[in-house]
Amino acid sequence: MKKSFRLIALTLTSVLALGSLAGCSTPAASEHQQIIRIGHNQSTNHPTHLGLIEFESFIESKLGDKYNVEVYPSELLGSQNEMVQLTQTGAINFCVASNSLLETFSSNYTLFNLPYLFSSSEAYHATMDDPTITDPIFKSTQKAGFEAVTWLDAGTRNFYTVNKPINTPADLKGLKIRVQQSPTNVEMMRLLGGSATPMGFGEVYTALQSKVIDGAENNEMALTDNGHGDVCKFYSYDMHQMIPDILIGNLAFLNGLSPEEREIFEEGFVLLNKVQREEWITAVEKAKDRAANEQGVQFVYPDTVAFQEACEPLHQSMLKAQPELKPIYDAIQKYNELYLAAES
Ligand code: GCU
């Protein structure tokens, strides 16, 4: 067993041994029930947690004699990378992972990590709701022992820094910016001229506070829910990525469900997606308001063209490395055009 994996296994054992932890959602299971463990890295206020709690109630209302769903927030089961490994091995049943991290498990996921892939949030949502686009990606990790069962909104990613507004890519020069642990994100920062510092989400606050990094990039919720706006005072809407979060499930567990049970789980995934996305809209509005009025964060609206042009080579290199994804890429462009035309 590798050292890091031993650590994850140990953490998991101690967390699970605690039984009814604060934030965990259900009382102890009866001996006839199978526990379904779902991990994520957000707080209990976050739309993802609220959606998962609805999922839990729904599954238990339909299949409660057999399954007891437990939702573990706030990296209680480990970082996202660790939770993906736990889902892979079946130590837990599901976890929420950023699409970014999944590209190291299947290169098909690189597609949704491309900067400026979507020209609007409408095109992004329509793409993610289209199974002819998502299926080849969502099922591409079956050999790795898991598959995606639904997507969750994570808004638009933008740069934010401790003390310098980012108006052009040149403003990123010399700045250490935390990115998610994915080759696409590291390359994106190189193309934009900043210095990429990959690390897990849970480490970002301390890294900002101790000045190990000068800034990060994320949606507005990171300012408030994760406290990054206490340290970073400039948030620049360069709109570089719309990266979905993905609920992944252990394949052996999913394949072990009877057809009737699977149907109920599928209904639960649809419900989760719906609730999370509805909650997301108000959560982002509230986060912006709180960041501006309570944390003193200034919102900056740069011209995005120079950022977009700098990132363009990433589209070409992905299409060259994976020509089989070209039809899917083109289908996304159709959604982009459709919503641009609807706007004008
Ligand atoms: C968002 C996203 C998370 C991700 C985080 C990050 O919050 O919803 O899934 O872990 O960004 O930047 O790591």
Side-chain angles (χ1 to χ4, degrees):
M1 212 188 256
K2 280 209 270 152
K3 192 168 167 233
S4 62
F5 207 76
R6 248 201 331 264
L7 189 69
I8 303 168
L10 202 68
T11 314
L12 181 66
T13 318
S14 12
V15 167
L16 301 180
L18 286 175
S20 72
L21 270 172
C24 293
S25 41
T26 20
S30 86
E31 59 186 72
H32 306 293
Q33 286 173 313
Q34 182 181 344
I35 300 178
I36 295 179
R37 296 186 175 92
I38 310 178
H40 69 87
N41 69 354
Q42 307 288 358
S43 79
T44 51
N45 304 316
H46 194 278
T48 292
H49 188 74
L50 303 177
L52 284 169
I53 293 299
E54 290 277 337
F55 174 79
E56 171 187 337
S57 307
F58 176 78
I59 296 297
E60 291 180 352
S61 73
K62 301 277 182 187
L63 299 168
D65 50 340
K66 185 153 177 204
Y67 297 111
N68 181 341
V69 181
E70 292 183 349
V71 181
Y72 292 86
S74 312
E75 297 196 8
L76 276 172
L77 300 183
S79 67
Q80 265 189 0
N81 257 331
E82 291 165 342
M83 287 190 282
V84 173
Q85 291 175 53
L86 292 172
T87 307
Q88 232 186 334
T89 60
I92 64 175
N93 307 81
F94 297 96
C95 77
V96 178
S98 170
N99 188 88
S100 282
L101 300 189
L102 297 175
E103 78 177 24
T104 52
F105 293 86
S106 156
S107 52
N108 284 8
Y109 275 95
T110 309
L111 180 61
F112 298 143
N113 293 337
L114 290 179
Y116 301 102
L117 176 64
F118 303 110
S119 61
S120 64
S121 48
E122 288 81 6
Y124 160 51
H125 292 170
T127 296
M128 296 308 300
D129 282 337
D130 182 342
T132 64
I133 292 183
T134 56
D135 270 5
I137 318 252
F138 283 7
K139 299 206 184 308
S140 66
T141 52
Q142 284 177 338
K143 276 206 188 101
F146 65 89
E147 68 181 13
V149 291
T150 191
W151 69 280
L152 304 170
D153 205 350
T156 305
R157 298 183 78 94
N158 300 289
F159 291 113
Y160 50 93
T161 53
V162 176
N163 54 17
K164 182 180 175 189
I166 305 298
N167 281 303
T168 68
D171 293 330
L172 289 162
K173 200 170 164 31
L175 297 190
K176 285 203 204 94
I177 303 288
R178 178 267 173 172
V179 294
Q180 290 178 288
Q181 297 131 306
S182 98
T184 301
N185 286 333
V186 172
E187 180 59 6
M188 175 184 76
M189 277 314 304
R190 193 189 66 78
L191 290 168
L192 288 169
S195 168
T197 309
M199 65 176 75
F201 193 37
E203 297 167 65
V204 181
Y205 181 82
T206 314
L208 284 169
Q209 219 185 20
S210 58
K211 302 205 167 22
V212 168
I213 52 176
D214 303 296
E217 48 81 56
N218 214 319
N219 60 58
E220 299 87 336
M221 292 281 299
L223 298 172
T224 51
D225 221 35
N226 305 91
H228 300 178
D230 293 342
V231 191
C232 293
K233 298 303 171 193
F234 293 96
Y235 187 93
S236 299
Y237 277 107
D238 67 288
M239 315 283 282
H240 57 264
Q241 282 162 321
M242 295 178 196
I243 297 193
D245 278 341
I246 309 285
L247 181 70
I248 61 165
N250 174 264
L251 196 64
F253 170 76
L254 289 167
N255 289 344
L257 294 169
S258 70
E260 297 73 29
E261 288 173 345
R262 180 69 190 241
E263 208 169 297
I264 293 170
F265 272 77
E266 291 299 332
E267 278 177 54
F269 301 143
V270 170
L271 176 71
L272 161 64
N273 172 280
K274 180 172 168 287
V275 173
Q276 196 269 354
R277 287 166 66 180
E278 280 164 10
E279 293 285 346
W280 181 261
I281 298 166
T282 41
V284 168
E285 282 313 310
K286 277 193 203 144
K288 270 182 86 170
D289 191 61
R290 239 193 85 202
N293 296 316
E294 292 174 29
Q295 295 174 306
V297 175
Q298 283 187 43
F299 289 93
V300 181
Y301 295 85
D303 185 345
T304 60
V305 174
F307 293 90
Q308 191 165 348
E309 283 174 0
C311 294
E312 188 58 35
L314 264 169
H315 288 230
Q316 306 320 324
S317 55
M318 191 224 67
L319 290 171
K320 201 166 161 213
Q322 283 176 274
E324 71 283 6
L325 292 181
K326 177 82 165 66
I328 304 185
Y329 180 87
D330 289 344
I332 297 174
Q333 302 313 316
K334 290 226 170 74
Y335 280 123
N336 284 339
E337 285 155 24
L338 184 74
Y339 287 99
L340 279 180
E343 246 174 50
S344 54

